[in-house]
Amino acid sequence: MILENPVNINLFEIPEKEGVSYAPTILYPALIRPLKNQLTLLQAVKLLRKEGFHVNVELVGSIRDVKYYFELRKFIKQEKLENSVKIIPGVPYDSMIEYYTKADIIVVPSLQESFGMVVPEAMAAGKPVVASNIPAFREKIDDKRDGFLINPKDPDDISEKISRIIVSYSLQKKFKRRARRKAISRWHPKIVGEKLIRFYLEIVRKEDEERASFEYHSRL
């Protein structure tokens, strides 16, 4: 039995947005450091702008690499993205509900993750998800069914997948509903709790069987 981490129950209660707005908000909650790969997302945003898409980006996370942070700031200024990209550090976890609620698309171009909690959180919130094609996310997202997997090192791939979501209401609807349905079945606290109880009961059952077998053979 695989035991996964539960998702904050409040995320499941976020109401579904009707479609994606004209200037959709892209959320990426992650620590500001190179492995999280925010710079490639900004390069994808640059490409989206060239294609005529108006998007807003919120990079929410603590600054763990100051040099990288200033590299991001330099790119934002150089590409004149100041009005559409925000770096928001120091947000308490409880306040993340607000950011998930107003987001239209969650994009996670991380280069490496162990579990990657942001994807289950985004799916629980009923948001279209675009995430790196890495093991931690491949086991959560069925590509093209309830989200998109992308090459995190390819801005063209990232921008193309984002644009496909923006222009297709049917795709948005499909991703949102399938993602939330999967999240409920795998990461809802009630489901995770039931799995944990079954796990412990199975351990107790096996211990009882081993004890009974030992006692039986001891009497022979």
Side-chain angles (χ1 to χ4, degrees):
M1 180 185 296
I2 298 175
L3 295 175
E4 298 180 291
N5 295 323
V7 166
N8 186 332
I9 197 167
N10 294 318
L11 287 164
F12 292 94
E13 298 170 3
I14 293 175
E16 182 180 327
K17 274 189 173 185
E18 280 299 322
V20 168
S21 60
Y22 168 72
T25 296
I26 295 171
L27 173 65
Y28 181 19
L31 299 173
I32 306 299
R33 59 175 182 169
L35 271 179
K36 298 301 182 181
N37 198 33
Q38 287 92 347
L39 183 57
T40 306
L41 173 56
L42 297 185
Q43 291 167 346
V45 169
K46 174 184 173 182
L47 295 174
L48 284 167
R49 285 184 53 160
K50 285 184 177 179
E51 293 294 324
F53 292 98
H54 301 276
V55 298
N56 297 305
V57 179
E58 293 187 340
L59 304 175
V60 181
S62 300
I63 299 168
R64 293 298 174 86
D65 187 312
V66 176
K67 181 180 178 182
Y68 182 63
Y69 167 72
F70 281 110
E71 186 179 352
L72 294 176
R73 290 285 301 272
K74 180 180 178 181
F75 184 87
I76 291 168
K77 184 176 181 180
Q78 174 183 305
E79 300 300 330
K80 298 180 173 58
L81 297 172
E82 296 98 325
N83 294 328
S84 56
V85 178
K86 295 179 182 178
I87 300 177
I88 310 170
V91 176
Y93 179 75
D94 289 344
S95 299
M96 283 304 304
I97 301 294
E98 172 190 342
Y99 290 94
Y100 276 111
T101 300
K102 67 181 179 178
D104 292 291
I105 304 169
I106 312 297
V107 182
V108 192
S110 181
L111 299 175
Q112 180 181 317
E113 294 286 348
S114 53
F115 181 77
M117 199 66 192
V118 64
V119 166
E121 288 177 344
M123 296 175 83
K127 305 296 178 178
V129 185
V130 177
S132 299
N133 191 357
I134 57 176
F137 297 151
R138 280 198 296 271
E139 64 184 17
K140 298 175 179 66
I141 295 174
D142 292 326
D143 190 31
K144 302 180 184 69
R145 177 174 172 79
D146 51 29
F148 277 134
L149 293 172
I150 45 89
N151 177 353
K153 297 180 180 179
D154 185 354
D156 288 285
D157 189 27
I158 299 171
S159 63
E160 192 265 335
K161 296 303 192 305
I162 293 172
S163 66
R164 284 176 62 181
I165 292 172
I166 293 173
V167 302
S168 174
Y169 177 74
S170 62
L171 187 62
Q172 296 162 26
K173 192 172 181 179
K174 179 178 79 170
F175 280 1
K176 289 176 183 180
R177 296 189 175 175
R178 288 179 176 173
R180 179 165 269 175
R181 195 156 54 234
K182 177 184 283 186
I184 290 171
S185 69
R186 284 181 61 175
W187 304 300
H188 193 284
K190 180 181 177 182
I191 298 300
V192 175
E194 289 173 351
K195 287 181 179 179
L196 188 60
I197 290 170
R198 288 199 299 271
F199 174 73
Y200 284 126
L201 288 175
E202 181 65 15
I203 290 176
V204 171
R205 184 187 65 79
K206 287 183 178 179
E207 288 180 346
D208 287 344
E209 288 178 352
E210 290 173 0
R211 187 182 302 110
S213 176
F214 174 78
E215 291 174 352
Y216 171 76
H217 287 91
S218 297
R219 291 195 296 268
L220 295 179

